[in-house]
Amino acid sequence: MTRESAEYDVLVVGGTGVDTVVRVDSLPVPLADSVQVGPIEEWPGHTGANVAIGARALGLEVGLIDCVGDDWTGAQIRTRLTESGVDFAPLISPSGTRRAVNLVAADGRRMSFYDARDPADLRMPRDFYLPRLRRTRHAHVSIMNFARFLYDDIEDLGIPVSTDLHDWDGLAEHHREFALRSDLVFLSAAGAGADTTALMREILREGRADTVVATAGADGSHLLVRGEAAPRHIPALPPHSPVVDTNGAGDAYVSGFLYGRLSGLAPQHCARIGAIAGAHACTAPAATDPLTLERLLATDQIA
């Protein structure tokens, strides 16, 4: 299968939706019939959109393909992505646009209720996605069920691919194909806990990945590269302003890492950029102020 000249640095597959953000004093919320909260906000985003917007803010050319509803939430996503400079190509899903309700505590921690709503038989037509795959340097695949069916063509085209498994515990079968068929794998240490290092090694041993990254919030991240005996710890960076919301910080980390990787930097430098982007994301609600390339270069912390 032949590829055309690259139009995108990154093509993101799936992962858009709208968050309803409810700010609470602390988590868990006390059991009660009614709890007084501040203004309830709606933010278009989710993991795929956040990664795409973050990568675009860092100067990469970014496309995004996904299935969204012909509804007001889908319109919010289209508007935000267009305003951010992302080339968004949506397909209309009769099931509507994905949503989540996030409870965000005063310390920035969150609890998310996710409404995936995609039917199990949802598929993206090959004649829709294949021309876009042919024009990208890198694919980032969100863990939507329909997205797994793009892997054969991604491999045939020889496109490097990444994914974010989020809080995978290493047991849920839904995530396994994404883990083993991606070159660059992100996951949250919150899922596997004490077994995180073993899970990172399993992904390298059984899959095609050359690099696995486990993010750990305020504890930084852990980077394991094929051929290395143990993960390297990458410290977290203190945010330059007070923490407002940790929602989207992991997606910002992915954007920063991808910018470094596509710029030819060493993995530890990519992780450092990810840490800078993740810390910056925490200073605005729902990752609505992504790190720009100008601000990154001004930090002078990537050498």
PDB file of all heavy atoms in Angstrom, residues 143 145 148 165 168-180 202 206:
ATOM      1  N   ILE A 143      -8.804   4.806  22.358  1.00  0.00           N
ATOM      2  CA  ILE A 143      -9.246   3.433  22.597  1.00  0.00           C
ATOM      3  C   ILE A 143     -10.755   3.276  22.394  1.00  0.00           C
ATOM      4  O   ILE A 143     -11.434   2.590  23.155  1.00  0.00           O
ATOM      5  CB  ILE A 143      -8.800   2.911  23.973  1.00  0.00           C
ATOM      6  CG1 ILE A 143      -9.256   3.844  25.095  1.00  0.00           C
ATOM      7  CG2 ILE A 143      -7.297   2.709  23.997  1.00  0.00           C
ATOM      8  CD1 ILE A 143      -9.014   3.259  26.489  1.00  0.00           C
ATOM      9  N   ASN A 145     -13.746   1.533  20.378  1.00  0.00           N
ATOM     10  CA  ASN A 145     -13.798   0.199  19.771  1.00  0.00           C
ATOM     11  C   ASN A 145     -13.646   0.245  18.260  1.00  0.00           C
ATOM     12  O   ASN A 145     -12.929  -0.567  17.665  1.00  0.00           O
ATOM     13  CB  ASN A 145     -15.102  -0.504  20.140  1.00  0.00           C
ATOM     14  CG  ASN A 145     -15.121  -1.951  19.666  1.00  0.00           C
ATOM     15  OD1 ASN A 145     -14.267  -2.747  20.048  1.00  0.00           O
ATOM     16  ND2 ASN A 145     -16.071  -2.280  18.806  1.00  0.00           N
ATOM     17  N   ARG A 148      -9.975   0.305  16.644  1.00  0.00           N
ATOM     18  CA  ARG A 148      -9.098  -0.869  16.551  1.00  0.00           C
ATOM     19  C   ARG A 148      -9.076  -1.444  15.140  1.00  0.00           C
ATOM     20  O   ARG A 148      -8.117  -2.099  14.744  1.00  0.00           O
ATOM     21  CB  ARG A 148      -9.505  -1.932  17.571  1.00  0.00           C
ATOM     22  CG  ARG A 148     -10.782  -2.656  17.251  1.00  0.00           C
ATOM     23  CD  ARG A 148     -11.081  -3.796  18.237  1.00  0.00           C
ATOM     24  NE  ARG A 148     -11.472  -3.315  19.558  1.00  0.00           N
ATOM     25  CZ  ARG A 148     -10.716  -3.475  20.643  1.00  0.00           C
ATOM     26  NH1 ARG A 148      -9.553  -4.117  20.560  1.00  0.00           N
ATOM     27  NH2 ARG A 148     -11.141  -3.022  21.807  1.00  0.00           N
ATOM     28  N   LEU A 165      -3.756   4.181  26.993  1.00  0.00           N
ATOM     29  CA  LEU A 165      -4.611   3.167  27.606  1.00  0.00           C
ATOM     30  C   LEU A 165      -5.310   3.671  28.857  1.00  0.00           C
ATOM     31  O   LEU A 165      -6.091   2.944  29.466  1.00  0.00           O
ATOM     32  CB  LEU A 165      -3.772   1.936  27.954  1.00  0.00           C
ATOM     33  CG  LEU A 165      -2.964   1.336  26.804  1.00  0.00           C
ATOM     34  CD1 LEU A 165      -2.078   0.207  27.328  1.00  0.00           C
ATOM     35  CD2 LEU A 165      -3.866   0.843  25.683  1.00  0.00           C
ATOM     36  N   TRP A 168      -5.711   1.459  32.408  1.00  0.00           N
ATOM     37  CA  TRP A 168      -5.760   0.010  32.175  1.00  0.00           C
ATOM     38  C   TRP A 168      -5.053  -0.734  33.291  1.00  0.00           C
ATOM     39  O   TRP A 168      -3.933  -0.399  33.691  1.00  0.00           O
ATOM     40  CB  TRP A 168      -5.111  -0.329  30.832  1.00  0.00           C
ATOM     41  CG  TRP A 168      -5.289  -1.765  30.419  1.00  0.00           C
ATOM     42  CD1 TRP A 168      -6.414  -2.532  30.567  1.00  0.00           C
ATOM     43  CD2 TRP A 168      -4.329  -2.602  29.772  1.00  0.00           C
ATOM     44  NE1 TRP A 168      -6.219  -3.789  30.048  1.00  0.00           N
ATOM     45  CE2 TRP A 168      -4.945  -3.865  29.554  1.00  0.00           C
ATOM     46  CE3 TRP A 168      -3.015  -2.414  29.345  1.00  0.00           C
ATOM     47  CZ2 TRP A 168      -4.281  -4.916  28.938  1.00  0.00           C
ATOM     48  CZ3 TRP A 168      -2.370  -3.470  28.733  1.00  0.00           C
ATOM     49  CH2 TRP A 168      -2.995  -4.709  28.532  1.00  0.00           C
ATOM     50  N   ASP A 169      -5.690  -1.780  33.768  1.00  0.00           N
ATOM     51  CA  ASP A 169      -5.113  -2.599  34.833  1.00  0.00           C
ATOM     52  C   ASP A 169      -4.343  -3.795  34.298  1.00  0.00           C
ATOM     53  O   ASP A 169      -3.815  -4.605  35.075  1.00  0.00           O
ATOM     54  CB  ASP A 169      -6.209  -3.079  35.789  1.00  0.00           C
ATOM     55  CG  ASP A 169      -7.299  -3.900  35.085  1.00  0.00           C
ATOM     56  OD1 ASP A 169      -7.165  -4.172  33.872  1.00  0.00           O
ATOM     57  OD2 ASP A 169      -8.287  -4.254  35.753  1.00  0.00           O
ATOM     58  N   GLY A 170      -4.273  -3.929  32.972  1.00  0.00           N
ATOM     59  CA  GLY A 170      -3.583  -5.062  32.380  1.00  0.00           C
ATOM     60  C   GLY A 170      -4.470  -6.275  32.203  1.00  0.00           C
ATOM     61  O   GLY A 170      -4.035  -7.287  31.630  1.00  0.00           O
ATOM     62  N   LEU A 171      -5.719  -6.191  32.657  1.00  0.00           N
ATOM     63  CA  LEU A 171      -6.619  -7.340  32.610  1.00  0.00           C
ATOM     64  C   LEU A 171      -7.744  -7.163  31.598  1.00  0.00           C
ATOM     65  O   LEU A 171      -8.120  -8.114  30.916  1.00  0.00           O
ATOM     66  CB  LEU A 171      -7.206  -7.605  34.001  1.00  0.00           C
ATOM     67  CG  LEU A 171      -6.186  -7.876  35.114  1.00  0.00           C
ATOM     68  CD1 LEU A 171      -6.894  -8.001  36.460  1.00  0.00           C
ATOM     69  CD2 LEU A 171      -5.375  -9.121  34.805  1.00  0.00           C
ATOM     70  N   ALA A 172      -8.308  -5.970  31.507  1.00  0.00           N
ATOM     71  CA  ALA A 172      -9.445  -5.732  30.617  1.00  0.00           C
ATOM     72  C   ALA A 172      -9.041  -5.986  29.167  1.00  0.00           C
ATOM     73  O   ALA A 172      -8.089  -5.391  28.655  1.00  0.00           O
ATOM     74  CB  ALA A 172      -9.951  -4.303  30.796  1.00  0.00           C
ATOM     75  N   GLU A 173      -9.763  -6.862  28.489  1.00  0.00           N
ATOM     76  CA  GLU A 173      -9.407  -7.255  27.127  1.00  0.00           C
ATOM     77  C   GLU A 173      -9.582  -6.122  26.123  1.00  0.00           C
ATOM     78  O   GLU A 173      -8.917  -6.101  25.083  1.00  0.00           O
ATOM     79  CB  GLU A 173     -10.236  -8.460  26.696  1.00  0.00           C
ATOM     80  CG  GLU A 173      -9.720  -9.786  27.250  1.00  0.00           C
ATOM     81  CD  GLU A 173      -8.271 -10.051  26.843  1.00  0.00           C
ATOM     82  OE1 GLU A 173      -7.915  -9.846  25.668  1.00  0.00           O
ATOM     83  OE2 GLU A 173      -7.501 -10.461  27.722  1.00  0.00           O
ATOM     84  N   HIS A 174     -10.484  -5.187  26.412  1.00  0.00           N
ATOM     85  CA  HIS A 174     -10.735  -4.097  25.467  1.00  0.00           C
ATOM     86  C   HIS A 174      -9.445  -3.378  25.080  1.00  0.00           C
ATOM     87  O   HIS A 174      -9.263  -2.983  23.927  1.00  0.00           O
ATOM     88  CB  HIS A 174     -11.724  -3.092  26.079  1.00  0.00           C
ATOM     89  CG  HIS A 174     -11.935  -1.873  25.234  1.00  0.00           C
ATOM     90  ND1 HIS A 174     -12.876  -1.811  24.226  1.00  0.00           N
ATOM     91  CD2 HIS A 174     -11.314  -0.666  25.228  1.00  0.00           C
ATOM     92  CE1 HIS A 174     -12.820  -0.623  23.637  1.00  0.00           C
ATOM     93  NE2 HIS A 174     -11.890   0.092  24.233  1.00  0.00           N
ATOM     94  N   HIS A 175      -8.544  -3.178  26.029  1.00  0.00           N
ATOM     95  CA  HIS A 175      -7.345  -2.367  25.811  1.00  0.00           C
ATOM     96  C   HIS A 175      -6.200  -3.141  25.161  1.00  0.00           C
ATOM     97  O   HIS A 175      -5.269  -2.524  24.629  1.00  0.00           O
ATOM     98  CB  HIS A 175      -6.832  -1.831  27.155  1.00  0.00           C
ATOM     99  CG  HIS A 175      -7.825  -1.013  27.916  1.00  0.00           C
ATOM    100  ND1 HIS A 175      -8.967  -1.537  28.458  1.00  0.00           N
ATOM    101  CD2 HIS A 175      -7.815   0.307  28.246  1.00  0.00           C
ATOM    102  CE1 HIS A 175      -9.634  -0.583  29.087  1.00  0.00           C
ATOM    103  NE2 HIS A 175      -8.970   0.537  28.969  1.00  0.00           N
ATOM    104  N   ARG A 176      -6.235  -4.466  25.233  1.00  0.00           N
ATOM    105  CA  ARG A 176      -5.035  -5.248  24.929  1.00  0.00           C
ATOM    106  C   ARG A 176      -4.551  -5.057  23.486  1.00  0.00           C
ATOM    107  O   ARG A 176      -3.349  -4.923  23.231  1.00  0.00           O
ATOM    108  CB  ARG A 176      -5.280  -6.729  25.227  1.00  0.00           C
ATOM    109  CG  ARG A 176      -4.027  -7.594  25.099  1.00  0.00           C
ATOM    110  CD  ARG A 176      -4.256  -8.971  25.682  1.00  0.00           C
ATOM    111  NE  ARG A 176      -4.618  -8.908  27.089  1.00  0.00           N
ATOM    112  CZ  ARG A 176      -3.743  -8.767  28.075  1.00  0.00           C
ATOM    113  NH1 ARG A 176      -2.445  -8.681  27.798  1.00  0.00           N
ATOM    114  NH2 ARG A 176      -4.146  -8.707  29.323  1.00  0.00           N
ATOM    115  N   GLU A 177      -5.459  -5.067  22.539  1.00  0.00           N
ATOM    116  CA  GLU A 177      -5.041  -4.908  21.150  1.00  0.00           C
ATOM    117  C   GLU A 177      -4.359  -3.566  20.929  1.00  0.00           C
ATOM    118  O   GLU A 177      -3.342  -3.474  20.241  1.00  0.00           O
ATOM    119  CB  GLU A 177      -6.226  -5.059  20.203  1.00  0.00           C
ATOM    120  CG  GLU A 177      -5.826  -4.953  18.730  1.00  0.00           C
ATOM    121  CD  GLU A 177      -6.962  -5.278  17.787  1.00  0.00           C
ATOM    122  OE1 GLU A 177      -8.126  -5.399  18.257  1.00  0.00           O
ATOM    123  OE2 GLU A 177      -6.699  -5.412  16.570  1.00  0.00           O
ATOM    124  N   PHE A 178      -4.902  -2.506  21.526  1.00  0.00           N
ATOM    125  CA  PHE A 178      -4.279  -1.191  21.410  1.00  0.00           C
ATOM    126  C   PHE A 178      -2.873  -1.217  22.009  1.00  0.00           C
ATOM    127  O   PHE A 178      -1.933  -0.643  21.455  1.00  0.00           O
ATOM    128  CB  PHE A 178      -5.126  -0.135  22.117  1.00  0.00           C
ATOM    129  CG  PHE A 178      -6.495   0.050  21.528  1.00  0.00           C
ATOM    130  CD1 PHE A 178      -7.585  -0.662  21.999  1.00  0.00           C
ATOM    131  CD2 PHE A 178      -6.691   0.953  20.491  1.00  0.00           C
ATOM    132  CE1 PHE A 178      -8.851  -0.485  21.458  1.00  0.00           C
ATOM    133  CE2 PHE A 178      -7.949   1.138  19.931  1.00  0.00           C
ATOM    134  CZ  PHE A 178      -9.037   0.422  20.418  1.00  0.00           C
ATOM    135  N   ALA A 179      -2.726  -1.886  23.146  1.00  0.00           N
ATOM    136  CA  ALA A 179      -1.434  -1.953  23.832  1.00  0.00           C
ATOM    137  C   ALA A 179      -0.384  -2.667  23.001  1.00  0.00           C
ATOM    138  O   ALA A 179       0.781  -2.245  22.942  1.00  0.00           O
ATOM    139  CB  ALA A 179      -1.596  -2.652  25.181  1.00  0.00           C
ATOM    140  N   LEU A 180      -0.776  -3.756  22.341  1.00  0.00           N
ATOM    141  CA  LEU A 180       0.200  -4.608  21.673  1.00  0.00           C
ATOM    142  C   LEU A 180       0.436  -4.238  20.213  1.00  0.00           C
ATOM    143  O   LEU A 180       1.404  -4.726  19.614  1.00  0.00           O
ATOM    144  CB  LEU A 180      -0.246  -6.069  21.773  1.00  0.00           C
ATOM    145  CG  LEU A 180      -0.410  -6.617  23.201  1.00  0.00           C
ATOM    146  CD1 LEU A 180      -0.726  -8.105  23.169  1.00  0.00           C
ATOM    147  CD2 LEU A 180       0.814  -6.343  24.062  1.00  0.00           C
ATOM    148  N   GLU A 202       5.531  -6.111  30.138  1.00  0.00           N
ATOM    149  CA  GLU A 202       4.704  -7.041  29.368  1.00  0.00           C
ATOM    150  C   GLU A 202       4.352  -6.445  28.002  1.00  0.00           C
ATOM    151  O   GLU A 202       4.387  -7.139  26.985  1.00  0.00           O
ATOM    152  CB  GLU A 202       3.430  -7.345  30.149  1.00  0.00           C
ATOM    153  CG  GLU A 202       2.459  -8.251  29.407  1.00  0.00           C
ATOM    154  CD  GLU A 202       1.157  -8.449  30.164  1.00  0.00           C
ATOM    155  OE1 GLU A 202       1.150  -8.303  31.402  1.00  0.00           O
ATOM    156  OE2 GLU A 202       0.136  -8.721  29.509  1.00  0.00           O
ATOM    157  N   GLU A 206       5.492  -8.414  24.669  1.00  0.00           N
ATOM    158  CA  GLU A 206       4.495  -9.097  23.856  1.00  0.00           C
ATOM    159  C   GLU A 206       4.032  -8.297  22.643  1.00  0.00           C
ATOM    160  O   GLU A 206       3.429  -8.857  21.726  1.00  0.00           O
ATOM    161  CB  GLU A 206       3.281  -9.459  24.721  1.00  0.00           C
ATOM    162  CG  GLU A 206       3.613 -10.411  25.854  1.00  0.00           C
ATOM    163  CD  GLU A 206       2.376 -10.908  26.583  1.00  0.00           C
ATOM    164  OE1 GLU A 206       1.243 -10.616  26.114  1.00  0.00           O
ATOM    165  OE2 GLU A 206       2.531 -11.586  27.603  1.00  0.00           O
TER     166      GLU A 206
END
